[in-house]
Amino acid sequence: MQQQQPHDISPWNQNNDDLLTVTEQQVDEFKTPYENFQQQQDQYKKQKVIKVNTTNCRGETRLIRKLIAKNNWKEVFNDGDICLLGLPFKQQNYDEYFSQIVNRYPGMDLLAHKTQSSFYLNKFAQYFPEEYEFFPKTYIIPDELDKFQKEYKNTRTYIAKPDAGSQGDGIYLLKNLKEVKTNESIVIQQYISKPLLIDKKKFDLRLYVLITSLDPYLCYINKEGLARFCTVDYEKPNDKNIRNSFMHLTNYSLNKRSTNFQVFNGKNILDINEGTKRTYTSIKKNLEILGYNNQDIENEIESLVVSYLKSLLPFLAFNQKLVFQKKVAEVKCFQVLGFDILLDEKGKPWLLEVNSNPSLQIEHEVFSANGKSVFEESLIDSYVKELVLGDAIKLAMMPTEDQEELPGFESYRKLDVDSTETIFSQMMQLYGFLSGYKFQEYLTSSKFQKLASFPQMTSQTFLKHDYDLLFRKIILRSCNTNLMDFFQFIIAIEQLAGKLNQDLEEMLDRITQNL
């Protein structure tokens, strides 16, 4: 029986290139989705189930449990991969840092207080004036009461904020010097009387910034955020409206009690709407219609955030070393900060405040006509804060070397922050030496006088006993009249250089080389 010869199809392929091309396309159409599916499955299998320790959670509990369910993570009540502290670092949390990634940097809460934050921003503006023009003129009362009285102008409006206040408590506008409460610790700023308005109302932005490492210094800004609106149409402050909080203060905690408060009731929270709280994405659509350049605004916002983060680094890095000492390399932290930013009528962003513990609650209080209230989940808060905290946890879990290679991750964009040491790094080093390298330790007069033992730190006109006089002069207006904190130490060291007729930087270089 004659064997059947196979068909030779090579001439067909040679003369029918289109058919060959179509066949490859068809194969690719089936192959690509399958490969993507396989990659997703492999990635899912490799992805570690993150264990989140919620023992010390507070207002963010509902949000984190929602994220746990959404991402198939696991809630634990002892050692986890991530440990969420609802309050700032305390010494009793020390052990948590060696087995988990914790969401608090030691000392961050102190730096974000209104008085301390205002003080070192003013100081950085003094040393680096071109980089620090993004916050309103600020005075710390009672320390700078004399300065405020000299620079005060009755044609301007000022806003006073209590140091320990939050959620708008105790904030008031003033035009008259007699209205200043000099018997309590407050911060007074020039009021930005020409804000950018949307729907005739004043608003501010709450944007979220993430720090995942101090060495290397890795910082990110979230692409999403919140806009908080006043509930009364804006007018420039005058005697009749200056006490109208619903017109001048954007705090949600205040405006939620207004009868004009509007809960979002649209279909898409990313679209333009009339809610009293909105997404940053929706606001950018408003700005575009109004003729503002969103990219220019975002570049300016990023620039001010970077400058602020630059000022934080010396303090954070030093506190980290004080707390964990020789074990500092074993510790990994992260923290989300809330930046409150106001746009003026020219589109210039102004930094109003930085919150080291921004609210991560996803419920809002809804008031009925009879004044009673109920708590409901806020679609806007939930959407924004799921991105903020969820992606922050995923980034924090990532090895530092992997983060260095990425330009960002999911909703976070990496920021390029200069980590070069500044004069404040030397001041921190010297303060640490004098205070015995202890976390949150203050200086006594005797500790401050140790400076006199360094070469060239006394003169014919400034002797060792003059150190005690300088010490007492600096802390005279302090609530604690016996101890000097780091911010007062900065003032003291500046005045010391002047009394010794020495260049401050050269003096610090000489001292720190002898430590």
Side-chain angles (χ1 to χ4, degrees):
M1 184 176 178
Q2 189 176 4
Q3 188 175 4
Q4 186 174 4
Q5 297 294 320
H7 294 290
D8 182 7
I9 62 170
S10 55
W12 177 272
N13 286 339
Q14 290 173 2
N15 298 322
N16 293 274
D17 293 336
D18 290 342
L19 181 62
L20 184 63
T21 304
V22 169
T23 303
E24 287 176 347
Q25 288 176 348
Q26 288 174 331
V27 170
D28 285 342
E29 285 173 4
F30 285 97
K31 191 168 114 180
T32 303
Y34 177 73
E35 285 181 340
N36 289 343
F37 173 75
Q38 282 294 104
Q39 288 172 1
Q40 289 172 2
Q41 291 300 303
D42 292 342
Q43 186 177 6
Y44 177 77
K45 289 175 184 176
K46 291 178 183 177
Q47 186 180 23
K48 180 181 178 181
V49 175
I50 299 174
K51 293 184 291 183
V52 183
N53 184 347
T54 61
T55 304
N56 294 298
C57 283
R58 289 165 63 88
E60 66 275 15
T61 303
R62 184 167 178 176
L63 170 63
I64 189 58
R65 284 181 174 157
K66 191 172 183 182
L67 287 168
I68 288 170
K70 180 179 179 180
N71 293 282
N72 294 310
W73 296 342
K74 184 178 180 181
E75 182 176 12
V76 296
F77 302 101
N78 42 46
D79 284 353
D81 300 305
I82 295 287
C83 176
L84 296 177
L85 300 179
L87 291 173
F89 167 83
K90 287 184 173 55
Q91 205 62 44
Q92 58 260 39
N93 304 129
Y94 180 83
D95 292 337
E96 306 276 8
Y97 281 75
F98 294 100
S99 58
Q100 305 167 100
I101 301 172
V102 185
N103 69 321
R104 300 284 174 186
Y105 283 99
M108 179 74 85
D109 58 310
L110 300 176
L111 295 171
H113 275 191
K114 292 181 180 67
T115 52
Q116 283 92 335
S117 178
S118 299
F119 175 85
Y120 68 74
L121 279 176
N122 281 339
K123 278 297 169 189
F124 266 78
Q126 176 184 329
Y127 287 92
F128 312 102
E130 294 182 0
E131 295 181 48
Y132 290 83
E133 297 179 339
F134 53 78
F135 61 100
K137 183 71 174 177
T138 303
Y139 306 88
I140 301 167
I141 308 298
D143 296 25
E144 297 180 321
L145 180 59
D146 292 342
K147 182 181 179 182
F148 175 62
Q149 289 173 336
K150 288 177 183 178
E151 298 180 1
Y152 161 82
K153 293 184 179 180
N154 58 13
T155 55
R156 288 182 179 152
T157 303
Y158 299 88
I159 184 167
K161 305 175 183 179
D163 179 41
S166 62
Q167 299 183 335
D169 290 343
I171 298 177
Y172 60 97
L173 271 60
L174 63 96
K175 280 180 169 289
N176 194 317
L177 273 176
K178 295 179 181 178
E179 299 174 75
V180 178
K181 299 175 182 177
T182 58
N183 60 340
E184 57 186 59
S185 179
I186 61 174
V187 167
I188 293 179
Q189 290 180 326
Q190 285 185 13
Y191 182 73
I192 299 170
S193 58
K194 295 182 179 180
L196 192 157
L197 305 179
I198 291 179
D199 301 333
K200 299 181 181 181
K201 292 179 176 63
K202 178 182 173 181
F203 69 96
D204 74 354
L205 301 173
R206 162 61 62 86
L207 301 181
Y208 298 90
V209 171
L210 170 68
I211 303 174
T212 59
S213 171
L214 300 181
D215 185 18
Y217 199 25
L218 298 177
C219 308
Y220 305 82
I221 186 168
N222 202 283
K223 299 172 186 176
E224 194 52 274
L226 295 171
R228 288 111 28 124
F229 280 74
C230 289
T231 46
V232 172
D233 290 355
Y234 181 78
E235 298 174 2
K236 285 186 179 181
N238 56 47
D239 292 340
K240 292 182 179 180
N241 67 38
I242 198 167
R243 293 288 176 260
N244 191 335
S245 298
F246 296 147
M247 176 184 292
H248 297 294
L249 304 183
T250 57
N251 305 72
Y252 160 75
S253 55
L254 295 174
N255 282 284
K256 69 182 181 181
R257 299 185 179 279
S258 168
T259 55
N260 296 326
F261 186 90
Q262 294 190 45
V263 178
F264 170 79
N265 58 4
K267 294 182 178 179
N268 188 341
I269 57 177
L270 303 182
D271 287 342
I272 292 174
N273 63 84
E274 296 180 351
T276 301
K277 186 183 286 188
R278 311 179 195 178
T279 61
Y280 180 38
T281 296
S282 72
I283 292 300
K284 287 192 284 188
K285 294 177 181 179
N286 284 109
L287 295 176
E288 187 176 357
I289 291 173
L290 292 171
Y292 292 93
N293 187 313
N294 277 308
Q295 191 58 56
D296 288 347
I297 291 174
E298 289 199 348
N299 289 344
E300 286 195 59
I301 289 175
E302 186 171 310
S303 177
L304 77 82
V305 169
V306 164
S307 294
Y308 183 91
L309 292 171
K310 176 184 174 181
S311 73
L312 277 186
L313 182 59
F315 308 102
L316 292 180
F318 188 73
N319 282 330
Q320 190 93 326
K321 290 176 183 176
L322 288 186
V323 172
F324 302 112
Q325 302 286 332
K326 294 179 180 179
K327 295 182 178 181
V328 67
E330 301 174 29
V331 172
K332 189 175 180 185
C333 310
F334 73 102
Q335 189 153 351
V336 173
L337 305 176
F339 279 64
D340 293 345
I341 293 170
L342 181 75
L343 302 177
D344 66 20
E345 63 180 3
K346 295 181 179 179
K348 174 182 169 63
W350 293 89
L351 179 64
L352 301 181
E353 196 173 313
V354 177
N355 196 319
S356 65
N357 191 26
S359 170
L360 293 175
Q361 290 186 351
I362 55 174
E363 306 91 356
H364 60 181
E365 195 174 5
V366 180
F367 289 85
S368 59
N370 60 10
K372 293 184 178 180
S373 65
V374 294
F375 284 89
E376 299 176 352
E377 182 170 324
S378 163
L379 294 177
I380 290 176
D381 283 283
S382 185
Y383 168 73
V384 171
K385 293 170 185 177
E386 279 184 46
L387 291 176
V388 168
L389 185 57
D391 291 343
I393 289 173
K394 293 172 187 175
L395 254 174
M397 286 291 296
M398 203 177 291
T400 302
E401 54 270 22
D402 290 351
Q403 289 189 48
E404 288 186 272
E405 299 298 320
L406 294 174
F409 178 80
E410 300 293 345
S411 60
Y412 280 102
R413 182 173 67 254
K414 188 186 286 182
L415 299 171
D416 184 14
V417 184
D418 181 11
S419 57
T420 306
E421 287 196 351
T422 66
I423 190 172
F424 296 98
S425 304
Q426 292 178 305
M427 290 182 184
M428 289 279 344
Q429 188 179 353
L430 181 54
Y431 182 82
F433 169 78
L434 296 174
S435 62
Y437 295 106
K438 295 179 181 178
F439 180 59
Q440 293 185 4
E441 186 74 8
Y442 297 99
L443 296 184
T444 60
S445 178
S446 60
K447 288 180 178 179
F448 181 67
Q449 290 180 57
K450 288 181 183 178
L451 286 170
S453 63
F454 287 91
Q456 303 177 47
M457 291 305 291
T458 57
S459 68
Q460 291 181 346
T461 57
F462 194 83
L463 304 174
K464 183 175 180 179
H465 71 267
D466 291 314
Y467 276 81
D468 181 61
L469 295 175
L470 177 60
F471 178 90
R472 297 189 183 285
K473 178 184 175 183
I474 297 296
I475 66 171
L476 184 62
R477 291 188 172 182
S478 170
C479 295
N480 188 336
T481 55
N482 297 314
L483 300 173
M484 176 182 284
D485 64 22
F486 175 67
F487 302 101
Q488 293 166 323
F489 176 72
I490 293 176
I491 298 172
I493 206 74
E494 289 174 337
Q495 291 191 16
L496 185 58
K499 291 182 180 296
L500 294 171
N501 197 26
Q502 295 182 20
D503 178 80
L504 178 59
E505 292 191 40
E506 291 178 1
M507 185 183 81
L508 287 169
D509 283 338
R510 189 179 66 251
I511 296 174
T512 52
Q513 286 172 9
N514 284 280
L515 291 181

